[in-house]
Amino acid sequence: MNLELFVARRLYHERKGERRISRPAVAVAQWGVAVGTIVMFVSISIIVGFKHNIREKIIGFGGHIQVMSYESVTDAVVPVVATDGLLVELKSLKGVQGVSTYVQKPGMIMVNGEYEGIMLKGVGENFDTSFVESSLVAGELPKFTETTPSNSIVISRLSAQRLQVGVGDKINLYFVENGIKARRMVVAALYETHLAELDNAMALTDIYTVQRLNGWGQDEVSAVEIAIADYGELENIRQEVNGVLYEKDENSAKLYAPTIEELYPSLFAWLSVLDQTVWLILVLVLFIAGFTMVSGLLILILEKSNFIGVMKALGARNVSVAKVFLYYACIVIGRGIIIGNVIAVVMCFVQQRFGIVALDPEMYYMNTVPVEFSWLLLPMNVGMFLLSVLMLVAPSALIAKIEPVKAIKYE
């Protein structure tokens, strides 16, 4: 242990003169750092949790990447020929977690004279139902297959409330295309994601039924959904998917692979604004923590003028004395950050486990404040510590202006 650090620790743990001004000032500085750390930790955890929660809801119904026809941009009835060879190649790509197909068709539900517009999405056995099952609020998800009609439908709770239907009720669906086609189905389950773009329109049934409604064959689908393991590799995997499509001469000019961010640009643009909010919060937190530390250090230096004068009289250089007070500040900052992290972890864990703080789902798309611990918190803590210390370098230069003779006489 070097001499400066030893002296700094002795100063910090000194109990003589409990009434001195610097002790409450240092305590305020330490708790200022702690409060700043809590705000930083909780804010980042909430924003990361919020972004992840919204993103997973969108991906739950649409996958990370979709392979669809260029013509479907203007004509929704143009199918993609999803051959077994294409699906196998896409699934074999590194980073791809799953591949599924779906067929969709716009229509209307009519119950007791009430109409509700829907987008009927037909899925099969390869569809990942984990998200839909986690969003169910009533009923059970039926087993959808590619070969037999289920005569069952899953609709949102919002649609069910508007139509005044529940699980087990029969509803009539109408589709207008070269005449009117009608189907009668049973409501098997209700889901709720709190995302209006999904809850107001999306309904699930088996892919076999929707293919027949469109007049398509078994290999003809609206799109191929691709789920990936690492969201950070989204663009790289999309490029590999495009490579697979380009190699197939019959499909390269007809198919393209938009990401989920391109399919829902408004939602993801809104989420990207949250990143700017994080930086604004961090700047404010750093300013508050730095201001309290600078104030505390200046009070400490002024109060310890006699001590500084004695050290200089004994031969200590200005740099060495400044190091003592910087080490002292590091101890205060470090303890403040540790205290803040402990309190923040407890707060986030309680919210994550019990969901104490509620939200209005119509405004925030979820009913409780989401919390998710992120690896970004570690570099943020380190960065906060280093920047706080750097802000104290200039105030510590005040030590060089203290003259030993005058300081020793100072009481």
Side-chain angles (χ1 to χ4, degrees), residues 84-382:
D84 291 339
L86 175 63
L87 298 179
V88 169
E89 283 194 58
L90 292 175
K91 196 169 184 178
S92 65
L93 293 176
K94 184 179 179 181
V96 172
Q97 200 170 36
V99 175
S100 62
T101 57
Y102 73 87
V103 180
Q104 63 183 20
K105 188 174 183 65
M108 290 188 301
I109 301 175
M110 187 184 76
V111 179
N112 301 323
E114 296 291 333
Y115 289 89
E116 178 83 10
I118 62 163
M119 177 63 71
L120 189 62
K121 182 175 181 177
V123 298
E125 295 179 351
N126 56 11
F127 179 71
D128 184 3
T129 61
S130 58
F131 171 74
V132 180
E133 289 177 338
S134 67
S135 302
L136 292 183
V137 294
E140 294 183 359
L141 192 68
K143 185 177 181 180
F144 296 131
T145 68
E146 294 87 352
T147 55
T148 56
S150 64
N151 297 320
S152 299
I153 189 171
V154 178
I155 62 176
S156 72
R157 182 160 67 176
L158 287 177
S159 295
Q161 288 174 344
R162 285 194 289 264
L163 295 169
Q164 297 184 348
V165 298
V167 174
D169 292 342
K170 294 181 179 180
I171 59 176
N172 297 314
L173 286 83
Y174 296 92
F175 306 92
V176 181
E177 184 182 343
N178 299 324
I180 298 178
K181 296 180 180 180
R183 290 291 186 276
R184 190 172 179 83
M185 294 186 178
V186 177
V187 178
L190 305 178
Y191 75 86
E192 186 172 42
T193 67
H194 301 299
L195 278 178
E197 291 192 26
L198 298 177
D199 291 355
N200 286 332
M202 192 67 67
L204 293 179
T205 189
D206 61 273
I207 193 171
Y208 179 88
T209 296
V210 188
Q211 283 176 326
R212 295 303 173 271
L213 287 169
N214 284 336
W216 293 355
Q218 189 172 0
D219 290 339
E220 294 179 311
V221 298
S222 296
V224 178
E225 292 181 349
I226 301 173
I228 65 177
D230 183 5
Y231 190 83
E233 295 295 319
L234 181 64
E235 189 59 36
N236 292 335
I237 295 177
R238 195 261 288 270
Q239 295 299 328
E240 294 184 10
V241 170
N242 284 330
V244 171
L245 301 180
Y246 182 78
E247 290 176 0
K248 295 183 172 297
D249 296 336
E250 69 276 15
N251 289 326
S252 61
K254 300 178 181 179
L255 303 180
Y256 78 117
T259 65
I260 195 68
E261 294 182 1
E262 294 169 338
L263 294 173
Y264 295 91
S266 59
L267 282 174
F268 281 93
W270 172 57
L271 291 178
S272 66
V273 174
L274 296 177
D275 294 331
Q276 301 175 12
T277 305
V278 171
W279 288 110
L280 177 61
I281 291 172
L282 292 179
V283 170
L284 293 175
V285 165
L286 182 60
F287 175 79
I288 294 171
F291 178 79
T292 55
M293 278 305 307
V294 169
S295 301
L297 182 63
L298 288 175
I299 292 172
L300 182 66
I301 291 173
L302 291 175
E303 188 179 73
K304 293 292 183 181
S305 295
N306 185 273
F307 169 78
I308 294 171
V310 171
M311 288 193 67
K312 285 188 174 183
L314 293 174
R317 295 179 299 173
N318 288 328
V319 174
S320 180
V321 180
K323 283 184 178 180
V324 171
F325 287 91
L326 285 177
Y327 278 130
Y328 187 102
C330 289
I331 295 173
V332 174
I333 295 171
R335 285 176 176 262
I337 289 177
I338 293 173
I339 293 171
N341 274 278
V342 171
I343 296 174
V345 168
V346 172
M347 292 173 60
C348 290
F349 176 78
V350 171
Q351 176 62 24
Q352 191 179 60
R353 181 69 176 83
F354 302 103
I356 295 175
V357 183
L359 294 175
D360 181 1
E362 293 185 2
M363 293 289 294
Y364 299 98
Y365 308 117
M366 57 197 72
N367 49 20
T368 61
V369 174
V371 173
E372 182 175 327
F373 296 103
S374 171
W375 64 269
L376 289 172
L377 292 168
L378 180 59
M380 289 295 183
N381 274 282
V382 175

Side-chain angles (χ1 to χ4, degrees), residues 48-96:
V48 170
F50 191 84
K51 292 180 64 176
H52 184 263
N53 195 301
I54 296 296
R55 190 178 68 196
E56 289 304 307
K57 287 183 178 183
I58 302 171
I59 294 171
F61 273 102
H64 294 88
I65 303 170
Q66 294 194 18
V67 175
M68 55 180 59
S69 170
Y70 274 113
E71 298 174 71
S72 65
V73 176
T74 56
D75 190 349
V77 299
V78 176
V80 172
V81 180
T83 62
D84 291 339
L86 175 63
L87 298 179
V88 169
E89 283 194 58
L90 292 175
K91 196 169 184 178
S92 65
L93 293 176
K94 184 179 179 181
V96 172

